[in-house]
Amino acid sequence: QVQLVESGGGLVQAGGSLRLSCAASRSIFSGNLMGWYRQIPGKQRELVAHISSGGITNYADFVEDRFTISRDNAKNTVYLQMNSLKPQDTAVYYCNAVASMQPWGQGTQVTVSS
């Protein structure tokens, strides 16, 4: 069964940190470029960061070295460590395979208060 399950979101004050996790089906995860996306209310979903199966990473400009994407290939899980959070990071965060999109999971809500 194709599945993406995100977790780890919550309410945090500006400057705080959160670690998001995404457990993926092996068929989605194995050997694929995996990405974290976010959707801010009223805006289109956007790519936050991605990581190759070999660990090469890439980040959107707005990340500004605050986030770190990582993956555990043995657990079919991708992570997003978010530090120095800003109110404008408030969004629902999702993961997916970048090159072969699958049905979206439920996402995890991140709310950053000022």
Side-chain angles (χ1 to χ4, degrees):
Q1 182 179 359
V2 173
Q3 195 172 19
L4 294 159
V5 180
E6 300 90 350
S7 62
L11 174 63
V12 65
Q13 289 188 333
S17 298
L18 285 172
R19 188 190 192 211
L20 307 184
S21 298
C22 170
S25 303
R26 181 178 177 83
S27 61
I28 300 174
F29 188 90
S30 183
N32 286 328
L33 183 70
M34 294 297 296
W36 278 99
Y37 299 78
R38 71 184 188 185
Q39 188 161 24
I40 297 169
K43 295 189 177 182
Q44 287 191 333
R45 197 169 299 178
E46 59 184 350
L47 181 63
V48 176
H50 61 69
I51 183 168
S52 71
S53 58
I56 298 172
T57 60
N58 188 269
Y59 299 89
D61 289 343
F62 61 76
V63 169
E64 299 175 327
D65 294 326
R66 299 178 297 127
F67 299 172
T68 302
I69 189 171
S70 60
R71 63 191 288 162
D72 185 332
N73 292 333
K75 296 182 178 179
N76 298 330
T77 300
V78 60
Y79 304 96
L80 186 68
Q81 176 67 43
M82 303 190 296
N83 300 326
S84 302
L85 282 161
K86 304 176 181 180
Q88 53 264 45
D89 294 318
T90 294
V92 180
Y93 284 72
Y94 304 86
C95 68
N96 213 321
V98 174
S100 54
M101 289 285 189
Q102 302 298 322
W104 295 96
Q106 83 289 350
T108 187
Q109 175 71 49
V110 171
T111 303
V112 185
S113 63
S114 57

